[in-house]
Amino acid sequence: MDTFDSVKEEAVKAVEEAKDLSGLQEARITWLGKKGKIQGLMAEMKNLPKEEKPAFGQKVNGLKKTVSELIEERQKVLQAEALKQRLQSEKIDITLDGEKMERGTIHPLIMIQQELEDLFIGMGYKVAEGPEVEQDYYNFELANLPKDHPARDMQDTFYIDPSTLLRTHTTAIQMRELEKAHGQLPIKLICPGKVYRRDDDDATHSHQFMQCEGLVVGEHITLADLKGTLEFMANAMFGEGRKVRFRPSYFPFTEPSVEVDVSCPFCNGKGCSVCKGSGWIEILGAGMVHPHVLEMNGFDPKKCSGFAFGVGLERVAMLKYGIDDIRNFYTDDIRFLKNFDRFD
Ligand code: DAH
């Protein structure tokens, strides 16, 4: 009985004094484990008279229960303490100064592209894309520019091999879409993208620039539809009251072809330094899709017609934001790009 009492005392003390959860686990093994000290008391049984054995057995079991209850209680306390400590040590001081994240801005050319996409999607157009490394076939041949056609010189081309090139205009995407549709009407799409030409870079030329093509093919499409569409676009891009005028021009893939001017948004057509006194600013090339182009792509030019236009995004952005050097778009000068923060 002495042994029993001292084991009980020691066990209670060990549990109460366990400083942390691992200490408590140790105590659990020492006292309650299969080879633990309480189990060890059972060995005492053989020294007891027979009639005392059951009572002793009960006492030992009672002690097991008491100790395991004590351990459980202690565990709750220690767990709460551990949690408190963890919360303390991992506390975030929300009053500390944060590190300001640098936010990027949308590139002005992409802003123009998105603006055009929104505008034309609103009129039921779809947006088409194509590869920048293009086949001569789509960039030239299907656009009514067979090999040795003199108008190929209008666009100084980066050739990769005799049949592969960096596309010189988004008209290549237009041709892919026409080929894909193969006579299926109607077609109503825009194709924005990067294009490349072997130009020497200066304030108004860049060997890489962006265009957005527009293409509509259907029954009874006329030059008047083209004019109305471009007027709508000019008003949306440069402000209400813009007028549009057509001047005759030449592109191999359109007939007739026109050069399109917008009434100067800076002087409202009166004449200023931006429009060089003329009141008009040239912004794009356009025309009625050449019957031969329609034919080559499986359309019957007697049954349908189409208009197309191609606009340079740099030109639009330069006019809209008053930028005087095209190279600004490609030199990634953060001071330039930061100007466009406020347009987000
Ligand atoms: N592809 C022409 C260029 O890059 C622009 C152009 C003119 C596109 C007339 C057209 C068009 O779709 O109809 O200079």
Side-chain angles (χ1 to χ4, degrees):
M1 277 305 149
D2 283 354
T3 322
F4 180 86
D5 288 339
S6 72
V7 167
K8 181 175 179 179
E9 217 172 280
E10 269 184 70
V12 172
K13 203 166 153 224
V15 172
E16 277 171 355
E17 286 180 355
K19 280 201 229 39
D20 50 28
L21 287 165
S22 73
L24 189 65
Q25 177 62 4
E26 246 171 63
R28 191 198 308 270
I29 295 165
T30 313
W31 298 97
L32 291 180
K34 268 198 195 125
K35 292 179 187 155
K37 292 191 180 172
I38 295 179
Q39 195 60 29
L41 283 173
M42 291 297 189
E44 300 285 324
M45 283 246 252
K46 64 177 185 302
N47 305 325
L48 292 175
K50 205 175 168 199
E51 60 281 9
E52 285 182 22
K53 281 184 182 172
F56 184 78
Q58 266 179 11
K59 271 187 97 167
V60 173
N61 282 335
L63 178 58
K64 264 194 208 164
K65 193 161 168 254
T66 312
V67 172
S68 78
E69 277 167 9
L70 280 176
I71 287 180
E72 229 146 86
E73 267 167 45
R74 183 79 187 132
Q75 180 165 334
K76 277 187 202 141
V77 173
L78 289 175
Q79 268 171 346
E81 267 174 26
L83 180 65
K84 202 168 138 196
Q85 252 177 24
R86 207 171 138 204
L87 287 174
Q88 284 272 322
S89 68
E90 291 177 10
K91 195 166 153 190
I92 297 168
D93 184 353
I94 55 165
T95 63
L96 275 179
D97 276 350
E99 241 174 73
K100 192 166 173 267
M101 293 260 275
E102 279 284 342
R103 254 182 97 222
T105 59
I106 297 188
H107 193 278
L109 292 177
I110 301 300
M111 279 198 297
I112 299 288
Q113 178 181 339
Q114 289 175 346
E115 222 174 294
L116 283 170
E117 285 177 0
D118 285 350
L119 189 70
F120 280 95
I121 286 170
M123 291 194 282
Y125 286 59
K126 77 166 198 172
V127 179
E129 288 181 346
E132 287 171 34
V133 177
E134 185 53 284
Q135 292 164 36
D136 181 284
Y137 181 66
Y138 292 108
N139 198 81
F140 289 131
E141 301 247 341
L142 264 194
N144 206 21
L145 275 149
K147 296 229 157 43
D148 305 324
H149 192 292
R152 282 198 180 209
D153 294 345
M154 284 163 75
Q155 303 181 353
D156 267 331
T157 310
F158 285 113
Y159 274 96
I160 288 161
D161 62 43
S163 61
T164 320
L165 44 77
L166 293 183
R167 71 179 174 209
T168 59
H169 51 186
T170 41
T171 308
I173 313 177
Q174 190 193 133
M175 294 312 146
R176 279 179 176 271
E177 290 295 320
L178 280 172
E179 184 191 56
K180 220 189 312 173
H182 203 76
Q184 201 69 31
L185 294 175
I187 292 181
K188 215 172 158 188
L189 49 89
I190 57 165
C191 356
K194 280 190 205 124
V195 299
Y196 302 84
R197 295 204 194 156
R198 285 173 24 154
D199 262 333
D200 289 329
D201 294 357
D202 62 24
T204 53
H205 294 87
S206 170
H207 62 280
Q208 173 196 317
F209 56 104
M210 290 192 76
Q211 288 186 331
C212 182
E213 197 92 356
L215 172 69
V216 173
V217 184
E219 285 171 21
H220 314 300
I221 301 292
T222 69
L223 211 57
D225 296 317
L226 172 65
K227 195 162 187 188
T229 306
L230 293 179
E231 222 155 47
F232 183 77
M233 178 175 99
N235 277 286
M237 299 304 283
F238 299 113
E240 288 298 312
R242 292 308 99 222
K243 288 199 194 74
V244 162
R245 82 175 179 187
F246 285 175
R247 279 178 294 110
S249 184
Y250 171 75
F251 297 104
F253 29 87
T254 44
E255 180 57 39
S257 301
V258 290
E259 214 65 75
V260 182
D261 298 340
V262 173
S263 58
C264 178
F266 298 98
C267 60
N268 232 341
K270 286 188 201 74
C272 67
S273 61
V274 180
C275 60
K276 300 196 183 80
S278 74
W280 294 95
I281 293 179
E282 182 191 324
I283 62 156
L284 54 84
M288 298 305 291
V289 181
H290 198 293
H292 190 217
V293 171
L294 290 175
E295 240 162 28
M296 278 192 287
N297 287 296
F299 293 85
D300 181 351
K302 286 192 205 76
K303 292 202 182 118
C304 66
S305 54
F307 70 67
F309 63 86
V311 59
L313 300 195
E314 283 78 358
R315 180 118 181 91
V316 175
M318 285 167 92
L319 285 171
K320 206 168 149 85
Y321 304 131
I323 298 162
D324 58 7
D325 193 322
I326 197 172
R327 287 168 294 196
N328 280 322
F329 294 117
Y330 295 103
T331 41
D332 283 344
D333 185 332
I334 201 94
R335 292 166 301 181
F336 169 77
L337 295 172
K338 280 208 160 154
N339 284 308
F340 297 92
D341 249 355
R342 64 207 139 109
F343 295 110
D344 271 6

